[in-house]
Amino acid sequence: MITIELGRRLNQLKLNPAQVLVLGFAGLILIGATLLNLPMASQDGKSIGFVNALFTSASAVCVTGLVVVNTATHWTVFGKVVILILLQIGGLGFMTLATLVALLLGRRITLKERLIIQEELNQFTLSGLVKLTRYVIISTAMIEGLGALLLSTRFIPKYGFVKGVSFSIFHSISAFCNAGFDLTGESIVPFVDDVVVNLTIIFLVIVGGLGYTVYMDISQNRKFKKFSLHTKLVLIISALLLLVGFLVIFIVEYNNPATLGKLSFKGKILASAFQAMTPRTAGFNSIDTGAVTNTTAFLTIILMFIGGSPGSTAGGIKTTTVGAIVLAIISVIRGTDDVEVYRKRIPHDLVYRALAVVGIALALIIFVTMILSLTEKDASFLDIFFETTSAFGTVGLSRGLTPNLSVLGRLIITLTMFAGRVGPLTMAFAFAKKQKEYKGTYRYPEERILVG
Amino acid sequence: MITIELGRRLNQLKLNPAQVLVLGFAGLILIGATLLNLPMASQDGKSIGFVNALFTSASAVCVTGLVVVNTATHWTVFGKVVILILLQIGGLGFMTLATLVALLLGRRITLKERLIIQEELNQFTLSGLVKLTRYVIISTAMIEGLGALLLSTRFIPKYGFVKGVSFSIFHSISAFCNAGFDLTGESIVPFVDDVVVNLTIIFLVIVGGLGYTVYMDISQNRKFKKFSLHTKLVLIISALLLLVGFLVIFIVEYNNPATLGKLSFKGKILASAFQAMTPRTAGFNSIDTGAVTNTTAFLTIILMFIGGSPGSTAGGIKTTTVGAIVLAIISVIRGTDDVEVYRKRIPHDLVYRALAVVGIALALIIFVTMILSLTEKDASFLDIFFETTSAFGTVGLSRGLTPNLSVLGRLIITLTMFAGRVGPLTMAFAFAKKQKEYKGTYRYPEERILVG
Ligand SMILES: [K+]
Ligand SMILES: [K+]
């Protein structure tokens, strides 16, 4: 309601969809920060302070999961419910939720509002968008319900009925929304070799990170050959990244006493799979992120940078963005003019769009890492680089830096999470001057330069 | 002579220019390694061992400057002369030198040989290539002579006549070829606040790193407006990178007692300028590379990755490659279909080529950094990341890791220097299957995917 009303007001300001999205997300974060800043949100009955409340709210809305305080012990039930609501809204995309509210109230959805949802979910066409939103809400509720049910078979015996049920619901939502918030105080570490908990969370995270269009496509078409090019690329690239991550972590950490070394063979397999899954961009961890070898840490940084798939709850530059770029590079090496895959041609403007996403994301991460290296003098470069990428990719993994961040560092990471969730291109469109609408027929003459 | 003969033999094997280039460079490195492996090359009269000889030869031929032993104290005059010859050949491009030999002997240069030189110097057209090669040799000799003369005004008073003159010649060649080898044992550190030495070396490195086409263009056309698009981009981007590097280093290191803190204001200015220049890709240093802040180290990594300009003695992915990509990103944000600058349009295939160079380079550096993190367990992540980028960009700066590398690490860095000097695309072309020659008229249907 509030967001729709806000949207109408903003309409009058002639904002473009990207600007509405940025302002909407920012508004939601501020509302969350105000609530979490209340004394009743903290168990010690004192306000946590606005910077920390803002950090936590941004972390929840951006489904990141980086925390400056222990979620389980610091927040009251009120605080935890606020966080849960924020991450559920953030995970679904607040504009999608605004559509739902409008649907429920039978109000007309304006074309402009549809355009904003389109930008948010990153859809191709307007047709079927309302249908998709309905599908999103229903499937989310079903999958999260199933996840909670599975988790409760482990959590109720361990934590008792009331705590067990609420833990199951919280972690199922947090996993599906790729949010990474936990109530155990040490993420999934206590369940490192529990098959049910591991597989349930891996399932929730992966499904949440594939994107709604993908499982709509899968449920409608069933066969790989019939899937859209988008679905094919998402499935292939996601599988490849999981496989590479699993193999590298399994081999490199096999004898590391601080991580896999102490586990049984079954535990090693489960933990490797879990740690290969978590960078896209779950944020849960079943082994100590700060104790892995530098090789695994760097691989995790790369995987966090790539993240999940578009139109999903995951962050990062997205699997298909990497796919478009890799396919373009292959076309250069093979000497073909077109970027081709599965007997389809990916248009040039998409490759350029992918290039822009990667370029802006890289520039942002490099800039933030350089600034944080100044503000956090005691932290190691790897920890800062890791933290920055985790924030940008809305992953939520940390090598222990988050609670030790300076005030300035907390604000910078807050902004990085925000930029990462909104997305590099949307940020650029929001701040750029109005795009050229008039397309002249005159083209400048071509001139070649030397590159590489 | 040998290389030409080799080239003719290779012709019969139906190798493509990229393969000839890779094999030619490899052959030169092996010859150098054999010579440096001789007992007479080392001052202690014992062979240095093949891995170290190979490393040093590759470092010289690839004009990198990473050293596992102190060049000044380890090698005999014979060894030093071998290194000087290798880096001069490497700097000029061994195929250019082969052309020279052929010219001097009045032999006909075959079209295939011209094509190889074109690949090496990365030129647009075959016309005027012989002229360019002549120009390259003459201008190199003149500039290096001028540099040696200027340096001798400082080196002769300090080191005496014979040592002073040979030091001047060695460092002038090393600077112009962006080779980074030094005979002082501590690079340019003893001259950190010497105006003449600093400005001379900065001049030599920058001119060497602009590329021959650029100063041919400058000397012929004089005015910026008349320059080719290539020259304009090279000059603007080089100036911007120098300026940003200078400002960041000056501000960030101003109070660092291990670097600028102890210097006078003049010394601070000179050292900042020198350290901003050296990543493109000189490899000399006037302050301790291992003592700079992490911010400066990361900035240096980025600058080393970018490197100098195409067709020059410098390495890295090249200034114009970054330029093409940044311009393409701007076109996406502005919503224009063409990549435009200075009223010219950069064709799509060049942007794709630039994308391929960056993509392959990034993948290589990430891969090598991950492997080295396994082989060099005691080294910090930042030092390994720095060393890898320095090797790939043929820069030669090190945070102290080089002499402590394991045998496996030395071989990996040797290969990285080689891949960096040959260039990502040339490597890819050398190893890829034959490019499609037949261009079918059939295009696959376009299908869009979601990115970002
Ligand atoms: K997350
Ligand atoms: K160098």
Side-chain angles (χ1 to χ4, degrees):
Chain A
M1 285 298 292
I2 294 168
T3 45
I4 288 175
E5 210 39 62
L6 193 71
R8 289 193 190 287
R9 294 268 174 93
L10 294 172
N11 260 0
Q12 294 159 4
L13 295 172
K14 302 234 180 244
L15 297 171
N16 66 35
Q19 289 166 329
V20 174
L21 198 71
V22 167
L23 290 175
F25 259 110
L28 185 62
I29 289 170
L30 283 179
I31 293 169
T34 311
L35 293 174
L36 292 176
N37 195 30
L38 297 174
M40 66 181 287
S42 296
Q43 287 198 0
D44 60 5
K46 292 177 202 152
S47 163
I48 193 176
F50 192 70
V51 170
N52 288 335
L54 185 71
F55 188 100
T56 308
S57 176
S59 183
V61 171
C62 303
V63 289
T64 306
L66 289 174
V67 289
V68 283
V69 292
N70 185 321
T71 309
T73 56
H74 178 86
W75 303 105
T76 60
V77 171
F78 169 77
K80 285 169 190 163
V81 169
V82 169
I83 289 172
L84 193 63
I85 293 172
L86 290 176
L87 64 86
Q88 180 77 81
I89 298 178
L92 285 182
F94 75 106
M95 281 301 173
T96 321
L97 206 82
T99 322
L100 171 78
V101 175
L103 274 177
L104 293 177
L105 297 176
R107 286 174 64 166
R108 199 175 63 87
I109 303 176
T110 66
L111 183 69
K112 182 135 195 181
E113 279 160 7
R114 287 193 201 216
L115 273 170
I116 295 166
I117 302 165
Q118 183 189 8
E119 183 91 4
E120 158 73 6
L121 282 174
N122 214 346
Q123 294 309 316
F124 316 105
T125 60
L126 286 180
S127 69
L129 207 55
V130 170
K131 194 180 134 207
L132 176 67
T133 308
R134 226 183 250 129
Y135 182 87
V136 165
I137 309 284
I138 293 168
S139 59
T140 299
M142 278 175 56
I143 295 169
E144 287 177 351
L146 176 67
L149 206 66
L150 288 168
L151 289 179
S152 69
T153 64
R154 296 307 196 172
F155 287 179
I156 291 176
K158 175 149 180 161
Y159 299 110
F161 187 75
V162 175
K163 203 173 171 186
V165 168
S166 54
F167 268 40
S168 299
I169 295 172
F170 188 96
H171 290 99
S172 181
I173 293 178
S174 184
F176 181 74
C177 292
N178 275 262
F181 278 86
D182 69 82
L183 295 180
T184 66
E186 40 175 352
S187 199
I188 307 302
V189 174
F191 301 93
V192 61
D193 57 358
D194 185 311
V195 178
V196 173
V197 171
N198 271 275
L199 292 189
T200 303
I201 288 181
I202 290 175
F203 166 77
L204 288 168
V205 167
I206 290 180
V207 171
L210 287 178
Y212 296 99
T213 38
V214 169
Y215 39 94
M216 221 164 162
D217 194 3
I218 293 176
S219 68
Q220 279 170 5
N221 293 310
R222 312 268 158 179
K223 282 185 183 167
F224 188 82
K225 249 187 133 173
K226 286 189 178 173
F227 294 161
S228 68
L229 181 58
H230 177 76
T231 301
K232 285 177 183 167
L233 286 180
V234 163
L235 293 178
I236 293 285
I237 298 168
S238 301
L240 269 181
L241 291 174
L242 280 172
L243 184 67
V244 169
F246 171 78
L247 288 177
V248 172
I249 293 169
F250 186 76
I251 293 167
V252 169
E253 301 293 328
Y254 195 91
N255 284 319
N256 183 349
T259 57
L260 297 189
K262 65 195 170 200
L263 299 176
S264 67
F265 191 76
K266 185 191 85 175
K268 285 182 168 70
I269 297 272
L270 275 180
S272 302
F274 196 91
Q275 293 300 120
M277 167 283 296
T278 196
R280 58 213 14 266
T281 51
F284 286 132
N285 56 293
S286 67
I287 57 179
D288 180 0
T289 314
V292 298
T293 61
N294 289 357
T295 305
T296 301
F298 195 34
L299 175 76
T300 306
I301 288 176
I302 308 300
L303 292 175
M304 294 195 297
F305 182 71
I306 298 174
S309 299
S312 79
T313 55
I317 57 165
K318 308 291 170 1
T319 50
T320 46
T321 308
V322 173
I325 285 178
V326 169
L327 290 169
I329 293 174
I330 291 173
S331 81
V332 172
I333 295 174
R334 289 178 55 198
T336 57
D337 276 350
D338 285 339
V339 179
E340 296 161 349
V341 62
Y342 290 123
R343 299 180 170 278
K344 301 283 180 182
R345 172 167 50 89
I346 298 178
H348 287 317
D349 69 292
L350 276 181
V351 175
Y352 274 61
R353 196 184 159 97
L355 177 60
V357 170
V358 175
I360 297 171
L362 266 183
L364 184 77
I365 287 175
I366 289 168
F367 181 72
V368 171
T369 302
M370 280 176 59
I371 299 287
L372 283 183
S373 295
L374 288 178
T375 62
E376 321 299 317
K377 286 213 185 293
D378 296 335
S380 87
F381 174 78
L382 182 59
D383 291 358
I384 290 175
F385 192 25
F386 194 97
E387 188 90 3
T388 304
T389 314
S390 176
F392 172 80
T394 69
V395 182
L397 294 174
S398 173
R399 287 169 66 85
L401 184 58
T402 329
N404 303 318
L405 283 172
S406 65
V407 172
L408 204 56
R410 282 166 203 225
L411 290 173
I412 293 168
I413 289 290
T414 303
L415 284 173
T416 309
M417 293 191 288
F418 184 70
R421 183 61 178 133
V422 170
L425 265 188
T426 308
M427 285 297 270
F429 288 143
F431 290 118
K433 274 184 290 189
K434 211 178 160 197
Q435 293 199 28
K436 278 190 188 170
E437 302 216 359
Y438 167 71
K439 188 93 91 195
T441 47
Y442 178 77
R443 295 180 83 186
Y444 288 122
E446 178 179 307
E447 182 169 336
R448 298 186 71 80
I449 57 172
L450 297 166
V451 298
Chain B
M1 287 298 293
I2 294 167
T3 46
I4 289 175
E5 212 37 63
L6 193 72
R8 289 191 191 287
R9 293 269 174 94
L10 294 171
N11 261 358
Q12 294 161 1
L13 295 172
K14 302 237 181 243
L15 297 170
N16 67 36
Q19 289 166 329
V20 174
L21 198 71
V22 167
L23 289 176
F25 259 110
L28 186 60
I29 289 171
L30 283 180
I31 293 169
T34 310
L35 293 174
L36 292 175
N37 196 30
L38 296 174
M40 66 181 285
S42 297
Q43 288 199 358
D44 60 5
K46 290 179 204 151
S47 163
I48 192 175
F50 192 71
V51 170
N52 288 335
L54 184 71
F55 188 99
T56 308
S57 176
S59 183
V61 170
C62 303
V63 289
T64 307
L66 289 174
V67 288
V68 282
V69 293
N70 185 320
T71 309
T73 56
H74 179 84
W75 302 105
T76 59
V77 171
F78 170 76
K80 286 168 189 162
V81 170
V82 168
I83 290 172
L84 193 64
I85 292 172
L86 290 175
L87 64 86
Q88 180 76 80
I89 298 177
L92 285 182
F94 75 106
M95 281 299 174
T96 321
L97 206 81
T99 322
L100 171 78
V101 175
L103 275 176
L104 292 176
L105 297 176
R107 287 174 61 166
R108 198 176 63 87
I109 304 176
T110 66
L111 184 70
K112 182 135 197 181
E113 279 160 8
R114 287 196 201 213
L115 273 170
I116 294 167
I117 303 165
Q118 183 189 8
E119 185 89 6
E120 159 74 3
L121 283 173
N122 214 345
Q123 295 308 315
F124 316 103
T125 59
L126 285 180
S127 69
L129 206 56
V130 170
K131 196 180 135 207
L132 177 67
T133 307
R134 226 183 251 129
Y135 182 87
V136 164
I137 309 283
I138 294 168
S139 59
T140 299
M142 280 174 56
I143 296 169
E144 287 177 351
L146 177 67
L149 206 67
L150 289 168
L151 290 178
S152 68
T153 64
R154 297 306 197 173
F155 287 178
I156 291 176
K158 177 150 180 161
Y159 299 111
F161 187 76
V162 175
K163 204 173 171 185
V165 168
S166 54
F167 269 40
S168 300
I169 294 172
F170 188 95
H171 290 99
S172 182
I173 294 178
S174 184
F176 181 74
C177 291
N178 274 262
F181 278 86
D182 68 82
L183 295 180
T184 66
E186 40 176 350
S187 199
I188 308 302
V189 175
F191 302 93
V192 61
D193 57 358
D194 185 307
V195 178
V196 174
V197 172
N198 272 273
L199 293 189
T200 302
I201 288 181
I202 290 175
F203 166 78
L204 287 168
V205 167
I206 290 179
V207 171
L210 287 178
Y212 296 99
T213 37
V214 169
Y215 39 94
M216 221 166 162
D217 194 5
I218 294 174
S219 68
Q220 279 172 5
N221 293 308
R222 311 268 160 183
K223 283 184 180 169
F224 188 82
K225 249 187 134 174
K226 285 189 178 172
F227 293 162
S228 69
L229 181 57
H230 177 77
T231 301
K232 284 177 183 168
L233 286 180
V234 164
L235 293 177
I236 294 284
I237 298 168
S238 300
L240 270 180
L241 291 175
L242 280 173
L243 184 68
V244 169
F246 172 78
L247 289 177
V248 172
I249 293 168
F250 185 76
I251 294 167
V252 169
E253 300 294 328
Y254 196 90
N255 284 319
N256 183 349
T259 57
L260 297 189
K262 64 194 171 202
L263 298 176
S264 67
F265 191 76
K266 184 192 86 176
K268 284 183 169 70
I269 298 271
L270 275 180
S272 301
F274 197 90
Q275 292 300 120
M277 166 282 296
T278 196
R280 56 212 16 267
T281 49
F284 286 131
N285 57 292
S286 68
I287 58 180
D288 180 1
T289 314
V292 299
T293 62
N294 289 356
T295 305
T296 301
F298 196 33
L299 175 77
T300 307
I301 288 176
I302 307 300
L303 292 176
M304 293 194 299
F305 182 69
I306 298 174
S309 299
S312 78
T313 54
I317 57 164
K318 307 294 171 353
T319 51
T320 46
T321 308
V322 173
I325 285 177
V326 170
L327 291 169
I329 293 174
I330 291 172
S331 81
V332 172
I333 295 173
R334 289 178 56 199
T336 57
D337 276 351
D338 285 340
V339 179
E340 295 162 351
V341 63
Y342 290 122
R343 299 182 171 278
K344 300 282 179 182
R345 173 166 51 89
I346 297 178
H348 288 315
D349 69 292
L350 276 182
V351 175
Y352 274 60
R353 195 183 159 97
L355 178 60
V357 169
V358 175
I360 297 171
L362 266 183
L364 184 76
I365 287 175
I366 289 168
F367 181 72
V368 171
T369 302
M370 279 176 58
I371 299 288
L372 282 183
S373 295
L374 288 178
T375 61
E376 319 299 315
K377 286 212 185 297
D378 296 334
S380 87
F381 175 77
L382 182 58
D383 292 357
I384 290 176
F385 192 25
F386 194 98
E387 187 89 3
T388 304
T389 315
S390 176
F392 172 79
T394 69
V395 182
L397 294 173
S398 174
R399 287 168 65 84
L401 184 58
T402 328
N404 302 319
L405 284 172
S406 64
V407 172
L408 204 56
R410 282 166 202 225
L411 289 173
I412 294 168
I413 289 290
T414 302
L415 283 173
T416 309
M417 293 191 288
F418 183 70
R421 183 63 179 133
V422 170
L425 266 187
T426 308
M427 285 296 272
F429 288 143
F431 290 118
K433 275 183 290 187
K434 211 179 161 197
Q435 293 198 27
K436 278 188 189 174
E437 301 217 358
Y438 168 72
K439 191 92 95 197
T441 47
Y442 179 76
R443 296 180 82 186
Y444 288 122
E446 178 180 307
E447 181 168 337
R448 299 186 71 79
I449 58 171
L450 297 166
V451 298

